[in-house]
């Protein structure tokens, strides 16, 4: 498709990687081409790698697949509850723990449990966070270090990392998105915060100066306060897992502010000259609204690379970076295990819980059932990236 800047593919046939190829640009600004070694953010494929890491710890005797997880940790992660105390690593890996998918840090992490563990399927990012906690507690390592020891090094996945590591960063592709999403996420808190700041400024001007209209310095202060608070609020949710998206949002907000200011001030001068005081205030408000609409419409036509300078906190939910050949090597390990035991690999591939029509979930991966046979799969999505392994 014309709207995909870059793409990397690895093809498996008869238990071997038979073809890899890169297409397009890893960064359109530098014209850096995509190669098979190019590294992409692969989103929720992180969950499969985290599950494999945990199962390696099971084989080392540091974790149990079916014992209550709360009894295996030195520090509790879930509050005590009848359902919470029943959760096992098997439940987490198969998304049947009853934990939800809401990890919104703005309203706090939701650790509620919707059903008896093992009785149903519910895709769970919170369950993956619990698994990461278990991995880090029993191994005494960060998720990145534990995965490097258990997965990346044994399987020769040299281009894989949960962070922007020194080895990965030079090969990392830039994600691409139009500016509208970043701007809209910024404007959602900015508009009510600016409205509140403007009302306070107006009231303050009336009390202190006897005039309803604040000075331009007060208006500027209201803009700055709302701008900083907006980024701070959004940053509570996105700064740790997606620092580069936060950087893009900040840059977009600066560009939005400058573009709006330029357009508005130019229009204000024209209105002041033409109206000569007649309905000038109303016309300026109308022009302000038009200016915002114009900026948003233009931003929707602009596609930009997401910066790649910062590194996220490693997360089993979705911070994995990998190349297509690395993911193919991981799938080959599940089909014909060389590191994990055959018994454990068979459990990963075996249905643990039904996940809808012609679908179930194994330990860490989805399983699609068809007349031709079963297919292991997991997809991923982050801001600017899409991924799929089957």
């Amino acid at each position: 498709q014309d709207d995909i800047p870059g793409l990397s593919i690895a093809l498996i046939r008869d238990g071997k990687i038979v073809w890899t190829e890169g297409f397009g640009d890893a960064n359109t600004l530098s014209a850096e081409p995509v190669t098979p070694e190019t590294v992409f953010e692969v989103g929720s494929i992180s969950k499969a790698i985290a599950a494999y890491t945990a199962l390696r710890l099971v084989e080392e005797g540091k974790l149990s697949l079916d014992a209550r997880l709360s009894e295996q940790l030195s520090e509790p992660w879930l509050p005590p509850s009848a359902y919470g105390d029943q959760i096992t690593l098997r439940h987490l890996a198969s998304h049947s723990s009853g934990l939800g998918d809401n990890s919104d840090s703005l309203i706090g992490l939701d650790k509620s449990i919707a059903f008896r563990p093992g009785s149903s399927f519910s895709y769970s990012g919170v369950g993956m966070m619990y698994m990461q906690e278990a991995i880090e507690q029993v191994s005494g390592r960060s998720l990145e270090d534990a995965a490097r020891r258990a997965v990346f090094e044994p399987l020769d996945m040299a281009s894989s990392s949960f962070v922007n590591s020194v080895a990965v960063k030079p090969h990392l592709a830039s994600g691409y998105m139009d500016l509208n999403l970043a701007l809209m996420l910024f404007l959602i808190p900015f508009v009510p915060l600016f409205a509140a700041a403007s009302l306070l400024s107006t009231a303050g001007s009336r009390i202190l100066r006897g005039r309803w209209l604040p000075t331009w310095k007060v208006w500027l202060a209201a803009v700055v306060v709302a701008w900083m608070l907006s980024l701070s609020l959004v940053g509570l949710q996105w700064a740790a897992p997606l620092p580069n998206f936060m950087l893009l949002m900040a840059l977009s907000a600066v560009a939005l502010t400058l573009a709006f200011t330029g357009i508005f001030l130019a229009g204000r001068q024209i209105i002041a000259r033409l109206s000569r005081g007649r309905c000038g205030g109303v016309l300026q408000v109308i022009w302000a609204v038009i200016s915002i609409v114009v900026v948003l419409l233009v931003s929707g036509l602009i596609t930009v690379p997401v910066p790649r300078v910062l590194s996220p906190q490693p997360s089993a939910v979705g911070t994995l970076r990998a190349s297509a050949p690395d993911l193919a090597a991981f799938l080959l390990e599940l089909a014909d295990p060389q590191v994990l035991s055959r018994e454990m690999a068979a459990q990963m591939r075996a249905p643990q819980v039904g996940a809808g029509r012609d679908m179930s979930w194994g330990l860490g991966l989805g399983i699609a059932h068809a007349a031709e046979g079963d297919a292991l799969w997991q997809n991923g999505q982050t801001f600017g990236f899409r991924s799929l392994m089957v």
Side-chain angles (χ1 to χ4, degrees), residues 169-343:
K169 194 172 179 179
H171 305 287
L172 187 61
S174 293
Y176 280 81
M177 57 187 296
D178 65 52
L179 288 179
N180 259 358
L181 179 58
L183 288 178
M184 292 306 296
L185 287 177
F186 169 76
L187 288 174
I188 287 171
F190 177 81
V191 170
L193 285 171
F194 177 65
S198 299
L199 288 174
L200 290 174
S201 300
T202 302
S205 178
R206 177 63 179 174
I207 294 170
L208 297 176
R209 302 173 63 242
R211 297 176 55 186
W212 286 107
L213 187 63
T215 65
W216 69 268
K217 293 182 179 179
V218 175
W219 281 113
L220 180 61
V223 171
V224 171
V225 169
W227 198 90
M228 298 300 294
L229 287 176
S230 298
L231 283 183
S232 298
L233 286 173
V234 178
L236 289 174
Q237 181 174 10
W238 301 116
L242 296 168
N244 297 302
F245 178 71
M246 274 301 302
L247 178 58
L248 175 64
M249 184 179 295
L251 294 174
S252 301
V254 170
L256 169 70
T257 303
L258 293 176
F260 167 75
T261 301
I263 296 172
F264 174 73
L265 291 179
R268 182 183 179 186
Q269 291 295 323
I270 296 173
I271 290 171
R273 292 183 180 183
L274 296 179
S275 66
R276 297 180 181 179
R278 298 190 302 273
C279 303
V282 175
L283 292 175
Q284 288 183 20
V285 171
I286 294 173
W287 179 247
V289 173
I290 293 174
S291 300
I292 292 176
V293 171
V294 168
V295 170
L296 290 177
L297 288 175
V298 172
S299 68
L301 303 175
I302 301 173
T303 300
V304 296
V306 179
R308 54 185 179 183
V309 295
L310 303 173
S311 182
Q313 294 295 317
S315 170
V317 177
T319 68
L320 181 67
R321 285 96 167 93
S323 65
D326 274 13
L327 297 184
F330 177 69
L331 286 177
L332 287 175
E333 162 69 4
L334 300 186
D336 184 19
Q338 305 299 309
V339 178
L340 198 67
S341 71
R342 291 191 172 276
E343 293 75 14

Side-chain angles (χ1 to χ4, degrees), residues 63-121:
L63 276 174
S64 169
L65 190 54
D66 293 307
R68 295 183 177 187
L69 197 57
S70 60
E71 298 175 353
Q72 302 176 59
L73 304 185
S74 56
E75 295 291 334
W77 190 79
L78 284 178
S81 67
Y83 281 171
D85 293 341
Q86 296 178 30
I87 291 176
T88 67
L89 182 59
R90 186 184 299 275
H91 296 144
L92 297 178
S94 60
H95 295 279
S96 61
S97 66
L99 290 164
D101 204 30
N102 175 26
S103 56
D104 190 339
S105 57
L106 285 176
I107 61 176
L109 183 63
D110 183 2
K111 296 184 179 181
S112 62
I113 302 170
F115 51 80
R116 178 173 55 82
S119 64
S120 186
F121 172 84

